Every structure is written in structure tokens, then in C-alpha cells.
């Protein structure tokens, strides 16, 4: 990796571990193994570097979600694939983690990639669910927008509950509950039995 890439990657990791306030320029430089001059050669300062790192994390999460949501099977299968994909649950969501940081929440610039990521996720989930309803896989009266918001909230809320308990069980239970509710709205043949979650 070149110097800029090492700085972005190191900042991604530190933001996930410590949040924005807890991520100092010194810690970034130490993690990246570069000198102070290198940081200011590529970025105007901590905020500029953090923005690049948050954008990268959002892009990676979006790609991982899209891989599941554009996969094979029914709408239920694709949403299940998203809910059951492998995650480092006890570390929390790298994007959701940022929403809990006051400095990020109060900065329109730093918050923008978070808002865009969650807006995209809800819209993409709603698109998959609407497609399933249109193809007769899900009940005709299912609300794709409200259901998409529920799915997104289950994941983010599951992270919080798991971290509070220091146990992945609350996350897994939330996911299974969401899948059971969605399966109840599926038409015959529109849902399959999902595999157990692979959280850790």
C-alpha cells in the first residue's frame, strides 16, 4: 500500500475502535507507520483524513450489502443473505459507530457519507422487497419502505444490544426474529429456511 492508502486504512480501523474523538493524529501516524509530513502532504488535517476513511468504510459496507441483495433467490432469500452475512458483531458497525460520535454528528461534512449510506440501504432493501411483492413472493399488502426501515434498524439495534451484553446472542436473536416476521409475510414458496447466522 502507498502512504495515502495506509493512512486511510489506519484511520478506518481507529475510527471503528475508538471513534472520532479517540482517534488522534499521533495514533493514526503510529498505526500507519508514516511521518507527520506524510499525513499533511495528502490531507488537510484529521477531519479531511477522517472523511476519506468514513467514505471508504461506507463504500465497503455498501458493496457487501449489494452483493447479498443482488444475489440469487427470492426477495426473502436476498434479505436473509444480507441479515445473515458474516459480521464482526462485537466491534459494532463501522458506520453506525460514527453516528454515536458527537463530533461527527455535529459535522454536516462528516455526517454526509453516513446519511447517504443509510439512505441507500433503506432504499435498496425497499427495492428488493417491492420486487418480491410484485413477483408474488411476498404479501400484496406488505409495505416495502416500512419493512426496509425495520430490517435496517434490526441490524443497527442488534449491534448495540450485542455490544452491551458482550455477546453476539442478542444480535442473532434479533436477526432470527426479523426473518420470522418476514417469512410470515411470504407467500408459499416465497421463503426458505435460512442458515444460522455467522456472527463473531
Amino acid at each position: 500500500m502507498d502512504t495515502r492508502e495506509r493512512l486511510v486504512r489506519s484511520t478506518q480501523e481507529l475510527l471503528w475502535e475508538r471513534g472520532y474523538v479517540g482517534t488522534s493524529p499521533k495514533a493514526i501516524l503510529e498505526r500507519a507507520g508514516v511521518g507527520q509530513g506524510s499525513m499533511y502532504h495528502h490531507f488537510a488535517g484529521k477531519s479531511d483524513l477522517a472523511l476519506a476513511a468514513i467514505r471508504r468504510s461506507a463504500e465497503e459496507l455498501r458493496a457487501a450489502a449489494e452483493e447479498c441483495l443482488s444475489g440469487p433467490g427470492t426477495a426473502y432469500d436476498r434479505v436473509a443473505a444480507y441479515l445473515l452475512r458474516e459480521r464482526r458483531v462485537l466491534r459494532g458497525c463501522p458506520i453506525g459507530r460514527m453516528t454515536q460520535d458527537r463530533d461527527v454528528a455535529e459535522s454536516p461534512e462528516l455526517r454526509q457519507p453516513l446519511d447517504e449510506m443509510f439512505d441507500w440501504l433503506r432504499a435498496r432493501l425497499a427495492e428488493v422487497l417491492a420486487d418480491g411483492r410484485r413477483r408474488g413472493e411476498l404479501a400484496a399488502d406488505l409495505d416495502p419502505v416500512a419493512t426496509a426501515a425495520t430490517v435496517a434498524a434490526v441490524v443497527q439495534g442488534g449491534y448495540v444490544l450485542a455490544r452491551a451484553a458482550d455477546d453476539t446472542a442478542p444480535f442473532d436473536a434479533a436477526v432470527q426474529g426479523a426473518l420470522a416476521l418476514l417469512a410470515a409475510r411470504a407467500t408459499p414458496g416465497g421463503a426458505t429456511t435460512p442458515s444460522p447466522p455467522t456472527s463473531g
Side-chain angles (χ1 to χ4, degrees):
M1 289 187 288
D2 62 21
T3 300
R4 187 183 191 283
E5 181 68 10
R6 289 205 304 274
L7 285 165
V8 172
R9 286 290 179 194
S10 297
T11 305
Q12 281 183 274
E13 294 169 4
L14 287 165
L15 289 174
W16 196 2
E17 292 170 11
R18 307 179 185 182
Y20 183 80
V21 174
T23 298
S24 66
K26 180 180 178 181
I28 294 170
L29 296 173
E30 288 177 351
R31 180 73 63 96
V34 301
Q36 185 174 359
S38 299
M39 177 177 170
Y40 292 100
H41 172 73
H42 293 283
F43 300 98
K46 174 184 169 180
S47 178
D48 188 35
L49 175 51
L51 179 59
I54 292 169
R55 282 179 175 158
R56 175 73 64 80
S57 293
E59 289 165 3
E60 291 173 352
L61 283 180
R62 177 169 175 162
E66 181 58 32
E67 184 177 359
C68 299
L69 296 172
S70 62
T74 65
Y76 174 90
D77 294 331
R78 289 182 282 160
V79 174
Y82 167 71
L83 285 170
L84 294 168
R85 76 174 182 83
E86 188 171 357
R87 292 176 170 89
R88 299 175 71 177
V89 171
L90 294 182
R91 285 193 71 181
C93 173
I95 291 299
R97 172 81 169 81
M98 292 295 93
T99 66
Q100 300 169 39
D101 196 303
R102 181 177 175 181
D103 283 32
V104 173
E106 293 180 351
S107 167
E109 186 177 37
L110 292 175
R111 198 177 65 243
Q112 183 179 359
L114 312 180
D115 294 340
E116 290 175 351
M117 169 59 197
F118 287 124
D119 287 346
W120 173 85
L121 178 61
R122 288 189 296 267
R124 187 69 179 95
L125 285 164
E127 182 182 332
V128 170
L129 293 164
D131 183 54
R133 187 180 66 178
R134 192 165 44 248
R135 293 194 296 180
E137 299 165 356
L138 298 169
D141 62 348
L142 179 135
D143 184 336
V145 174
T147 305
T150 299
V151 171
V154 162
V155 172
Q156 292 304 314
Y159 277 124
V160 172
L161 294 173
R163 284 171 61 84
D166 194 27
D167 188 343
T168 61
F171 183 96
D172 296 341
V175 165
Q176 291 300 323
L179 289 173
L181 290 172
L182 188 58
R185 305 295 291 143
T187 56
T192 56
T193 303
S195 302
T198 54
S199 54

